Coordinates of all heavy atoms in Angstrom, one line a residue:
I1 N 94.9 60.6 24.7 CA 94.8 60.9 23.3 C 96.2 61.2 22.9 O 96.8 62.1 23.4 CB 93.9 62.1 23.0 CG1 92.4 61.7 23.5 CG2 93.9 62.4 21.5 CD1 91.5 62.8 23.4
A2 N 96.7 60.4 21.9 CA 98.0 60.6 21.4 C 97.9 61.5 20.2 O 97.1 61.2 19.3 CB 98.7 59.3 21.1
S3 N 98.7 62.5 20.1 CA 98.7 63.4 18.9 C 100.1 63.3 18.3 O 101.1 63.3 19.0 CB 98.3 64.8 19.3 OG 99.3 65.3 20.2
L4 N 100.1 63.2 17.1 CA 101.3 63.1 16.3 C 101.6 64.4 15.7 O 100.7 65.0 15.0 CB 101.3 62.0 15.3 CG 101.1 60.6 15.8 CD1 101.0 59.6 14.7 CD2 102.3 60.2 16.7
V5 N 102.8 64.9 15.8 CA 103.1 66.1 15.2 C 104.3 65.8 14.2 O 105.3 65.2 14.6 CB 103.6 67.2 16.2 CG1 104.1 68.5 15.5 CG2 102.5 67.5 17.2
F6 N 104.1 66.2 13.0 CA 105.1 65.9 12.0 C 105.8 67.3 11.7 O 105.2 68.2 11.3 CB 104.5 65.4 10.7 CG 103.9 64.0 10.8 CD1 102.5 63.9 11.1 CD2 104.7 62.9 10.8 CE1 102.0 62.6 11.2 CE2 104.1 61.7 10.9 CZ 102.8 61.5 11.2
L7 N 107.0 67.2 11.9 CA 107.8 68.4 11.6 C 108.7 68.2 10.4 O 109.4 67.2 10.3 CB 108.8 68.7 12.8 CG 108.1 69.0 14.1 CD1 109.2 69.2 15.2 CD2 107.3 70.3 14.0
M8 N 108.5 69.1 9.5 CA 109.4 69.0 8.3 C 110.6 69.9 8.5 O 110.4 71.1 8.6 CB 108.6 69.4 7.0 CG 107.4 68.5 6.8 SD 106.6 68.9 5.2 CE 107.9 68.5 4.1
A9 N 111.7 69.3 8.5 CA 112.9 70.0 8.7 C 113.3 70.7 7.4 O 113.4 70.1 6.4 CB 114.0 69.1 9.2
Q10 N 113.5 72.0 7.5 CA 113.9 72.7 6.3 C 115.4 73.0 6.5 O 115.8 73.6 7.5 CB 113.2 74.1 6.2 CG 111.8 74.0 5.9 CD 111.1 75.3 5.7 OE1 111.6 76.3 6.2 NE2 110.0 75.4 5.0
S11 N 116.2 72.5 5.6 CA 117.6 72.8 5.8 C 117.9 74.1 5.2 O 117.5 74.5 4.1 CB 118.4 71.6 5.1 OG 118.1 71.5 3.8
L12 N 118.6 74.9 5.9 CA 119.1 76.2 5.5 C 120.4 76.1 4.8 O 121.2 75.2 5.0 CB 119.2 77.1 6.7 CG 118.0 77.5 7.5 CD1 118.4 78.2 8.8 CD2 117.0 78.3 6.7
P13 N 120.6 77.0 3.8 CA 122.0 77.1 3.2 C 123.0 77.3 4.2 O 122.8 77.9 5.3 CB 121.9 78.2 2.2 CG 120.4 78.6 2.1 CD 119.8 78.1 3.3
V14 N 124.2 76.9 4.0 CA 125.3 77.1 4.9 C 126.4 77.9 4.2 O 126.8 77.7 3.1 CB 126.0 75.7 5.3 CG1 127.2 76.0 6.2 CG2 125.0 74.9 6.0
F15 N 126.8 79.0 4.9 CA 127.8 79.9 4.3 C 129.1 79.6 5.1 O 129.1 79.4 6.3 CB 127.5 81.4 4.6 CG 126.3 81.8 3.8 CD1 125.2 82.4 4.5 CD2 126.2 81.7 2.4 CE1 124.1 82.8 3.8 CE2 125.1 82.2 1.7 CZ 124.0 82.7 2.4
S16 N 130.2 79.7 4.4 CA 131.5 79.6 5.0 C 132.0 81.0 5.1 O 132.2 81.7 4.1 CB 132.5 78.7 4.2 OG 133.7 78.6 4.8
L17 N 132.3 81.5 6.3 CA 132.7 82.9 6.5 C 134.2 83.0 6.5 O 134.9 82.1 7.1 CB 132.2 83.4 7.9 CG 130.7 83.4 8.0 CD1 130.3 84.0 9.4 CD2 130.0 84.2 6.9
P18 N 134.8 84.1 5.9 CA 136.2 84.3 6.0 C 136.7 84.5 7.4 O 136.1 85.2 8.2 CB 136.4 85.5 5.1 CG 135.1 86.2 5.1 CD 134.1 85.2 5.3
T19 N 137.9 83.8 7.7 CA 138.4 83.8 9.0 C 139.9 84.0 9.0 O 140.6 83.4 8.1 CB 138.0 82.5 9.7 OG1 136.6 82.4 9.7 CG2 138.5 82.5 11.2
S20 N 140.5 84.7 9.9 CA 141.9 84.9 10.0 C 142.4 84.7 11.4 O 141.7 85.0 12.4 CB 142.3 86.4 9.6 OG 141.9 86.7 8.3
A21 N 143.7 84.2 11.5 CA 144.3 84.1 12.8 C 144.8 85.5 13.2 O 145.3 86.2 12.3 CB 145.5 83.1 12.7
I22 N 144.7 85.8 14.5 CA 145.2 87.1 15.0 C 146.0 86.9 16.2 O 146.1 85.8 16.8 CB 144.0 88.0 15.3 CG1 143.1 87.4 16.3 CG2 143.2 88.4 14.0 CD1 141.9 88.3 16.8
Q23 N 146.7 88.0 16.6 CA 147.6 88.0 17.8 C 146.7 87.7 19.0 O 145.6 88.2 19.1 CB 148.3 89.3 17.9 CG 149.3 89.6 16.9 CD 150.7 89.0 17.2 OE1 151.0 88.9 18.4 NE2 151.4 88.6 16.2
G24 N 147.3 87.0 20.0 CA 146.6 86.8 21.2 C 146.2 85.4 21.4 O 146.6 84.5 20.7
G25 N 145.4 85.1 22.4 CA 144.9 83.8 22.7 C 145.7 83.2 23.9 O 146.8 83.7 24.2
S26 N 145.1 82.3 24.6 CA 145.8 81.6 25.7 C 146.9 80.7 25.3 O 147.0 80.3 24.1 CB 144.7 80.8 26.5 OG 143.6 81.6 26.8
R27 N 147.7 80.3 26.2 CA 148.8 79.4 25.9 C 148.2 78.1 25.3 O 147.3 77.5 25.8 CB 149.6 79.0 27.1 CG 150.8 78.2 26.9 CD 151.4 77.9 28.2 NE 152.5 76.9 28.0 CZ 153.7 77.1 28.3 NH1 154.1 78.3 28.9 NH2 154.6 76.2 28.1
G28 N 148.8 77.6 24.2 CA 148.3 76.4 23.5 C 147.1 76.7 22.6 O 146.5 75.7 22.1
C29 N 146.7 77.9 22.5 CA 145.5 78.3 21.7 C 145.9 79.3 20.6 O 146.8 80.0 20.7 CB 144.4 78.9 22.6 SG 143.9 77.9 24.0
I30 N 145.0 79.3 19.6 CA 145.2 80.3 18.5 C 143.9 81.1 18.5 O 142.8 80.5 18.5 CB 145.5 79.6 17.1 CG1 146.8 78.8 17.2 CG2 145.5 80.6 16.0 CD1 147.1 78.0 16.0
K31 N 144.0 82.4 18.4 CA 142.9 83.3 18.4 C 142.5 83.6 16.9 O 143.4 83.8 16.1 CB 143.2 84.5 19.1 CG 142.0 85.4 19.4 CD 142.4 86.5 20.4 CE 141.2 87.3 20.9 NZ 141.6 88.3 21.8
Y32 N 141.2 83.6 16.6 CA 140.8 83.9 15.2 C 139.7 85.0 15.2 O 139.0 85.2 16.3 CB 140.1 82.6 14.6 CG 141.1 81.5 14.4 CD1 141.3 80.5 15.5 CD2 141.8 81.3 13.3 CE1 142.1 79.5 15.3 CE2 142.6 80.2 13.1 CZ 142.8 79.3 14.1 OH 143.7 78.3 13.9
V33 N 139.5 85.6 14.1 CA 138.4 86.6 13.9 C 137.7 86.2 12.6 O 138.4 85.9 11.6 CB 138.9 88.0 13.9 CG1 139.9 88.3 12.7 CG2 137.8 89.0 13.8
T34 N 136.4 86.2 12.6 CA 135.6 85.9 11.4 C 134.7 87.0 11.2 O 134.3 87.8 12.1 CB 134.8 84.6 11.6 OG1 134.2 84.2 10.4 CG2 133.7 84.7 12.7
T35 N 134.4 87.3 9.9 CA 133.6 88.4 9.5 C 132.5 88.0 8.6 O 132.6 87.1 7.7 CB 134.5 89.4 8.6 OG1 135.7 89.7 9.4 CG2 133.7 90.6 8.3
N36 N 131.3 88.5 8.9 CA 130.1 88.3 8.0 C 130.2 89.2 6.8 O 130.0 90.4 6.9 CB 128.8 88.5 8.8 CG 127.6 88.4 7.9 OD1 127.7 87.9 6.7 ND2 126.5 88.7 8.4
T37 N 130.6 88.6 5.7 CA 130.8 89.4 4.4 C 129.6 89.3 3.5 O 129.6 89.8 2.4 CB 132.0 88.9 3.7 OG1 131.9 87.5 3.4 CG2 133.3 89.2 4.4
T38 N 128.5 88.7 4.0 CA 127.3 88.6 3.3 C 126.5 89.9 3.4 O 126.8 90.8 4.2 CB 126.4 87.5 3.7 OG1 125.8 87.8 5.0 CG2 127.1 86.1 3.8
S39 N 125.4 90.1 2.6 CA 124.7 91.3 2.6 C 123.5 91.3 3.7 O 122.8 92.3 3.9 CB 124.0 91.6 1.3 OG 123.2 90.5 0.9
G40 N 123.4 90.2 4.4 CA 122.4 90.1 5.4 C 122.9 89.4 6.7 O 124.0 89.0 6.8
T41 N 122.1 89.4 7.7 CA 122.4 88.8 9.0 C 122.5 87.2 8.8 O 121.7 86.6 8.1 CB 121.4 89.1 10.0 OG1 121.3 90.5 10.2 CG2 121.7 88.5 11.4
V42 N 123.5 86.7 9.5 CA 123.7 85.2 9.5 C 123.5 84.7 11.0 O 123.7 85.5 11.9 CB 125.0 84.7 9.0 CG1 125.2 85.0 7.5 CG2 126.2 85.3 9.8
I43 N 123.0 83.5 11.1 CA 122.7 82.9 12.4 C 123.5 81.6 12.6 O 124.0 81.1 11.6 CB 121.2 82.7 12.6 CG1 120.6 81.8 11.5 CG2 120.4 84.0 12.6 CD1 119.2 81.4 11.7
N44 N 123.5 81.1 13.8 CA 124.1 79.8 14.2 C 125.6 79.8 13.7 O 126.0 78.9 13.0 CB 123.3 78.7 13.5 CG 121.9 78.6 13.9 OD1 121.5 79.0 15.0 ND2 121.0 78.3 13.0
V45 N 126.3 80.8 14.1 CA 127.7 80.9 13.7 C 128.5 79.9 14.6 O 128.5 79.9 15.8 CB 128.2 82.3 13.9 CG1 129.7 82.4 13.4 CG2 127.3 83.3 13.2
K46 N 129.2 79.0 13.9 CA 130.0 78.0 14.6 C 131.3 77.7 13.9 O 131.3 77.8 12.6 CB 129.2 76.7 14.9 CG 128.8 76.0 13.7 CD 128.0 74.8 14.0 CE 127.5 74.1 12.7 NZ 126.7 72.9 13.0

C-alpha cells in the first residue's frame, strides 16, 4: 500500500543579523561576532 504524504513547506521570514569583524582567528581567516538584536529567539543561524 503506497501512501502519499503531502508536505506544505512554510517559508519562514529571514532576518539579517548585525555582524562585526573582531580580533583573532586562524591564519588566513577573519573572526566575526554576530548578535541577535531581535526581541525573540532566532533559529538556523548561518
Side-chain angles (χ1 to χ4, degrees):
I1 299 173
S3 63
L4 298 175
V5 177
F6 294 96
L7 299 175
M8 294 186 65
Q10 291 182 340
S11 56
L12 295 172
V14 176
F15 296 123
S16 184
L17 300 180
T19 305
S20 301
I22 58 174
Q23 292 273 329
S26 305
R27 183 181 173 123
C29 302
I30 300 175
K31 193 172 188 178
Y32 296 90
V33 63
T34 189
T35 306
N36 177 8
T37 56
T38 71
S39 60
T41 299
V42 294
I43 59 173
N44 305 325
V45 182
K46 63 183 175 181

